[in-house]
Amino acid sequence: MGQPTPATDDGWWRSAVIYQVYVRSFADGDGDGTGDLAGVRARLPYLAELGVDALWFNPWYRSPMKDGGYDVADYRAVDPAFGTLAEAEKLIAEARELGIRTLVDIVPNHVSDQHPWFRAALAGGPERELFHFRPGRGEHGDLPPNDWQSEFGGPAWTRLPDGDWYLHLFAPEQPDLNWAHPAVRQEHEDILRFWFERGVAGVRIDSAALLVKHPELPDVTEGRDPHPYVDRDELHDVYRAWRAVADEYGAVFVGEVWLPDAERFARYLRPDELHTAFNFSFMSCPWDAARLRRSIDDTLAEHAPVGAPATWVLCNHDVTRTVTRYGRADTGFDFATKAFGTPTDLALGTRRARAAALLSLALPGVVYVYQGEELGLPEADIPLDRIEDPMHARSGGTDPGRDGCRVPLPWAAGEPHAGFGGEPWLPQPDGWAAYAADRQAEDPGSMLRLYREAVRLRPVFGDGPPTWLPAPDGVLAFARADALCVVNLSDTPVDLPVHSALLLAGGPLDTAGRLPRDTAVWLRA
């Protein structure tokens, strides 16, 4: 077993750079085409050279993989496709020796339909109380108990042969837990302790605002307040109990909290609840200076009353990759932009992604980097017969799903499958080797080299908030400590502000020393 994280908190998480590892697509250590913990362990030197402070792992637990591991059958076992619990313990310890902490994913809203609890519930055991079973509506009970819809499309209810229905806000293979039952709460606190004892430094909480349901499971009528299953007040008692557990180990939380109400959002970040929560407004912004500045200001203002650091995210395992998103029309992030055949200007998207990387890394707080973003990977088009994401099937084929951002990484340009390992579980596009890490490591102008240098230089911005500087329309310019960040989102090159040195540039300046469009620089004041 790895060494438990000591019960101290040095505040590392307040300004960390955290790298997201989607294990299945990171690196294949045994040649079977699926990424695994052996592959991650072999690439720890790469991650150390990148300079990240921590790794966040998407679920590596035993799972039927009906939703990429977010259908968990056993939280205390690593899925055999990825390795063993002993390997996970070695990975946590080896990463820590390199100065890299580990965060794991917890999915408290639901479990797999193969979880022992649900299997016992289907057999008529007392575990039935741990889920939401209800009779149907209509004369013969053949209508769902309410009008709730699955996040993946279609009704959030599935009928069983005995006539009852069970609730699943996601896929039918992911039955929702009943968080009103004390056994559910106790089990999750025990799961936290299990991983904290193995040296995990923190936990990312999936769908953190959805756990608690109104006891009567009423319809979602327009304007219902409070919502019957989103952001229920009872949730805060759950996270206060979790925080007490985390504080014993000096561990931290980041919540996946999608809420439009800033005040409600901030409640999750009070000193006795979660440490941080993902900031999705920044990721969702179009490439527009005014909108981005407003998102930055609003985010910092939301976090200030509770003293929590902001988080900055450009992409994750659920979102169209940054290069592709920014290479499309100047719209904000929208799942609709994933439509098949959407034209993309990858050169434009790459310039903007480089600028966005410098912008996010210059801001105060925590930055998350999804694997492959540091390589400038675009979204991949997956052949229809190879799509695995349940969102595709549940949408009737109208949504291509999220597999396009989950394609296995290219490591070595001259090796089969771009050095990933065996034939990848998702097909790599033609030309994928051009993005290989080994090739980029030798290219001073590559995306990888830009990320490495930006992470190394990031401390020059200090700990304070940004001070906005006068700038032309379409330009973002701010100072922190004795460093400046300037991002040109306008249509024309702009002069740089007075400075003593150029620290880092997302692209070359023009012949007059001006900052071109869609480019960012870091300057010393």
Side-chain angles (χ1 to χ4, degrees):
M1 182 184 299
Q3 292 299 312
T5 302
T8 59
D9 177 8
D10 61 6
W12 67 271
W13 50 275
R14 302 188 72 88
S15 59
V17 177
I18 301 178
Y19 187 92
Q20 180 187 353
V21 180
Y22 192 80
V23 179
R24 197 178 184 188
S25 298
F26 186 73
D28 171 18
D30 62 8
D32 66 355
T34 295
D36 47 38
L37 301 188
V40 179
R41 290 174 62 199
R43 299 295 179 179
L44 284 175
Y46 167 88
L47 295 167
E49 189 171 4
L50 187 57
V52 299
D53 300 292
L55 307 176
W56 156 36
F57 288 89
N58 291 102
W60 57 25
Y61 317 109
R62 187 182 297 276
S63 167
M65 297 292 167
K66 298 298 184 180
D67 182 24
Y70 282 86
D71 49 323
V72 179
D74 185 353
Y75 272 110
R76 295 173 178 83
V78 171
D79 194 272
F82 300 146
T84 64
L85 179 60
E87 282 185 285
E89 292 170 347
K90 289 179 181 178
L91 171 55
I92 293 165
E94 290 169 359
R96 192 59 184 260
E97 290 174 2
L98 293 172
I100 302 174
R101 293 170 168 86
T102 297
L103 284 74
V104 295
D105 220 315
I106 298 293
V107 192
N109 179 72
H110 49 263
V111 292
S112 165
D113 61 356
Q114 300 304 305
H115 191 283
W117 278 3
F118 194 69
R119 297 174 73 175
L122 293 183
E127 291 83 358
R128 208 168 178 90
E129 298 179 1
L130 306 179
F131 301 90
H132 298 280
F133 288 91
R134 293 291 190 276
R137 296 192 290 192
E139 182 180 356
H140 304 291
D142 54 355
L143 298 177
N146 64 28
D147 65 355
W148 297 6
Q149 295 294 297
S150 164
E151 296 289 320
F152 291 164
W157 294 91
T158 291
R159 197 178 193 187
L160 296 168
D162 64 10
D164 269 358
W165 299 70
Y166 70 88
L167 176 67
H168 52 85
L169 289 180
F170 292 86
E173 296 86 359
Q174 296 167 292
D176 279 35
L177 291 165
N178 175 16
W179 274 86
H181 198 291
V184 173
R185 298 194 179 203
Q186 185 60 56
E187 169 67 359
H188 282 78
E189 291 176 27
D190 292 346
I191 290 168
L192 293 175
R193 293 182 187 278
F194 180 88
W195 287 105
F196 291 156
E197 287 291 339
R198 281 156 179 77
V200 164
V203 167
R204 180 262 190 183
I205 307 167
D206 181 74
S207 301
L210 302 184
L211 281 55
V212 176
K213 279 75 174 178
H214 189 293
E216 297 177 4
L217 305 184
D219 284 347
V220 182
T221 54
E222 186 173 352
R224 176 181 287 277
D225 187 21
H227 195 281
Y229 64 81
V230 177
D231 185 33
R232 304 281 302 174
D233 286 341
E234 303 94 317
L235 259 177
H236 298 283
D237 290 337
V238 172
Y239 293 136
R240 289 190 186 97
W242 285 27
R243 179 61 177 261
V245 174
D247 285 349
E248 295 177 25
Y249 297 87
V252 300
F253 293 123
V254 56
E256 183 191 26
V257 182
W258 293 77
L259 292 177
D261 186 316
E263 184 177 349
R264 299 286 300 185
F265 172 83
R267 296 179 69 202
Y268 290 85
L269 301 176
R270 289 175 292 194
D272 61 345
E273 296 193 39
L274 307 183
H275 300 74
T276 61
F278 283 124
N279 163 32
F280 294 112
S281 71
F282 181 76
M283 180 180 70
S284 303
C285 265
W287 189 247
D288 176 87
R291 292 278 296 278
L292 281 167
R293 175 168 174 171
R294 184 159 61 249
S295 173
I296 293 167
D297 287 341
D298 289 350
T299 296
L300 295 175
E302 290 169 7
H303 289 72
V306 288
T311 63
W312 310 102
V313 186
L314 292 174
C315 185
N316 62 35
H317 64 292
D318 290 331
V319 175
T320 302
R321 282 200 177 272
T322 309
V323 164
T324 297
R325 207 169 66 246
Y326 282 154
R328 291 177 175 160
D330 289 335
T331 57
F333 169 71
D334 188 324
F335 279 106
T337 66
K338 295 192 300 182
F340 294 115
T342 304
T344 299
D345 182 339
L346 290 183
L348 173 65
T350 299
R351 288 201 310 274
R352 290 177 171 179
R354 292 171 68 91
L358 294 190
L359 172 60
S360 61
L361 286 163
L363 292 169
V366 189
V367 175
Y368 282 80
V369 179
Y370 176 49
Q371 66 179 42
E373 288 292 288
E374 82 282 9
L375 301 177
L377 296 182
E379 187 83 354
D381 288 327
I382 308 298
L384 292 178
D385 61 349
R386 296 292 300 275
I387 293 176
E388 297 200 11
D389 186 359
M391 289 186 73
H392 176 64
R394 295 278 293 182
S395 71
T398 60
D399 189 325
R402 301 160 293 179
D403 289 346
C405 67
R406 301 175 178 182
V407 173
L409 298 189
W411 289 102
E415 296 183 11
H417 313 302
F420 172 72
E423 182 176 352
W425 68 279
L426 280 176
Q428 295 172 319
D430 293 339
W432 208 237
Y435 297 97
D438 66 342
R439 178 176 293 181
Q440 293 202 36
E442 302 301 319
D443 179 3
S446 70
M447 185 76 83
L448 177 59
R449 293 283 289 271
L450 179 72
Y451 263 91
R452 286 179 177 175
E453 189 66 3
V455 173
R456 184 184 72 82
L457 288 173
R458 190 173 185 238
V460 302
F461 286 98
D463 298 323
T467 298
W468 292 105
L469 305 175
D473 289 344
V475 176
L476 297 175
F478 60 84
R480 294 180 59 221
D482 64 346
L484 312 177
C485 176
V486 185
V487 188
N488 182 10
L489 296 88
S490 73
D491 293 331
T492 59
V494 296
D495 292 326
L496 296 177
V498 175
H499 60 281
S500 62
L502 174 64
L503 298 174
L504 185 61
L509 303 181
D510 71 7
T511 55
R514 296 174 301 180
L515 184 64
R517 61 181 301 183
D518 300 316
T519 309
V521 290
W522 289 358
L523 308 170
R524 190 173 297 281

